[in-house]
Amino acid sequence: MPEDPVEAVIEAAAALLRARGDRMTGPRRAVLTVLALRQSHLAPDQVVAAVAELDAGVHRASVYRALEALSDLGVVQHMHLGHGTTAYHLAAEHRHLHAACGRCGAVVDLPGDLLDDVATRLDDVQGFALDPAHVALSGTCVRCRPDQVSGDRP
Amino acid sequence: MPEDPVEAVIEAAAALLRARGDRMTGPRRAVLTVLALRQSHLAPDQVVAAVAELDAGVHRASVYRALEALSDLGVVQHMHLGHGTTAYHLAAEHRHLHAACGRCGAVVDLPGDLLDDVATRLDDVQGFALDPAHVALSGTCVRCRPDQVSGDRP
DNA sequence: ATTTATGCAAATATTTTGCACGGTA
DNA sequence: TACCGTGCAAAATATTTGCATAAAT
């Protein structure tokens, strides 16, 4: 029977960890649970907070270390959201890019192939291998745009 | 007669500042000088260091405040370089985008119109107004690419 | 003479690290 | 049993802020 999807993520990660001689632990389980349940990009601090709700005994530093370990594993990925914020998410989710609104901070999902042409061009021209999902594009979202122009309709 | 270009930048900024009732000061002058001389994107810390060489009396915090004030003015702009780094540069320079290598940290300049098509698409589809220069794209530069593959030549 | 901006120091915030102990395999 | 990862506390970083003083206009 199909298991709890969260459990499935944890089991998969556990297998990878053990294959390396590493271990599945409470904090790592908690971090994976948080990332799997809230299917979104979370700042370290948000992970810390969410993990604390789940298991108050988990120390802040362990969350950082768990995020790093799981990133090395490839199970978790991170990306950068403009203002110095790093956001973590499960690697497994379907491929898509992000853009962050500089005004309200909202993060919008973008089609995964949005930068494919650009990636090709960069490869051809500069030999630069673009990793399109590793940074969020920046700009202003729909809801914040009207505020930019004082009177854009006559 | 044509002035020192650095002086020209400072004078222009001074005019804008005074028009607001603000002032041109030592620290602001130093920050502008640094940004004008090294025509590149500098992290706050690098600006602090460069300013210190120019005028040891300028305090760290003043550099931060000067960068903020000059950004508000529009004379200075900043952008985000992946790993939580913010980089400042003069606004006047010719329009171009950046990409940062995740391995060596190198920043490469990209054509200013590289993301124009993407910007149009984002506007049409999501109403999102892209600010292409506000974040550096991420990936791996030519010089670091061979290292990715353990043995890519027989 | 005014009022802004500075220098300083302390407060904040964020992430990292050394070490002894507990938990996993 | 062996040793990896944790909790804790402190250190290292990075940035912000309150306040008296210096400086720009």
Side-chain angles (χ1 to χ4, degrees):
Chain A
M1 55 183 284
E3 293 183 358
D4 172 6
V6 175
E7 231 12 82
V9 168
I10 293 176
E11 274 317 306
L16 288 171
L17 284 167
R18 288 180 194 121
R20 283 186 161 201
D22 294 346
R23 294 159 191 189
M24 177 53 73
T25 65
R28 291 175 181 178
R29 218 185 302 269
V31 165
L32 286 172
T33 303
V34 163
L35 293 181
L37 286 181
R38 327 212 176 164
Q39 301 201 39
S40 65
H41 26 76
L42 298 173
D45 221 47
Q46 297 177 295
V47 179
V48 168
V51 162
E53 261 176 66
L54 207 65
D55 176 349
V58 175
H59 195 274
R60 192 175 188 74
S62 299
V63 171
Y64 279 91
R65 288 189 278 222
L67 286 171
E68 195 195 342
L70 296 169
S71 294
D72 282 354
L73 249 202
V75 172
V76 163
Q77 295 184 337
H78 70 271
M79 105 219 201
H80 301 283
L81 284 183
H83 273 297
T85 332
T86 304
Y88 289 84
H89 60 92
L90 288 186
E93 286 161 41
H94 77 284
R95 187 187 178 230
H96 64 277
L97 313 185
H98 298 97
C101 176
R103 231 164 247 254
C104 68
V107 176
V108 308
D109 289 357
L110 308 177
D113 62 359
L114 185 72
L115 294 182
D116 285 1
D117 289 350
V118 171
T120 305
R121 217 173 324 160
L122 279 184
D123 190 356
D124 290 349
V125 178
Q126 319 229 7
F128 190 92
L130 185 66
D131 180 2
H134 194 231
V135 293
L137 297 176
S138 185
T140 311
C141 73
V142 222
R143 286 169 39 198
C144 291
R145 280 184 76 172
D147 305 351
Q148 283 188 126
V149 189
S150 39
D152 58 333
R153 268 204 328 160
Chain B
M1 57 184 279
E3 295 184 358
D4 172 5
V6 174
E7 226 20 73
V9 168
I10 292 176
E11 273 318 305
L16 288 170
L17 283 166
R18 289 182 192 120
R20 283 186 160 198
D22 292 348
R23 296 159 190 191
M24 175 55 72
T25 64
R28 290 174 182 178
R29 217 184 302 270
V31 165
L32 287 172
T33 303
V34 162
L35 292 181
L37 285 182
R38 326 213 176 166
Q39 301 202 38
S40 67
H41 27 73
L42 298 173
D45 221 46
Q46 298 177 296
V47 180
V48 168
V51 163
E53 259 174 69
L54 208 63
D55 175 350
V58 175
H59 195 275
R60 193 179 188 72
S62 299
V63 171
Y64 279 92
R65 287 189 279 221
L67 286 171
E68 194 194 344
L70 296 170
S71 294
D72 282 354
L73 250 204
V75 172
V76 163
Q77 294 185 338
H78 70 271
M79 105 218 198
H80 300 284
L81 283 183
H83 274 295
T85 332
T86 303
Y88 290 84
H89 60 94
L90 288 186
E93 288 162 39
H94 77 284
R95 188 189 177 228
H96 64 277
L97 313 185
H98 299 97
C101 175
R103 233 165 247 254
C104 68
V107 176
V108 307
D109 288 358
L110 307 178
D113 63 358
L114 184 73
L115 293 180
D116 286 0
D117 289 351
V118 170
T120 305
R121 219 175 322 162
L122 279 184
D123 190 357
D124 291 350
V125 179
Q126 320 229 8
F128 190 93
L130 185 65
D131 180 3
H134 194 231
V135 293
L137 297 175
S138 184
T140 311
C141 74
V142 222
R143 286 169 37 198
C144 291
R145 282 183 77 173
D147 306 350
Q148 283 188 128
V149 189
S150 37
D152 59 332
R153 270 204 326 159

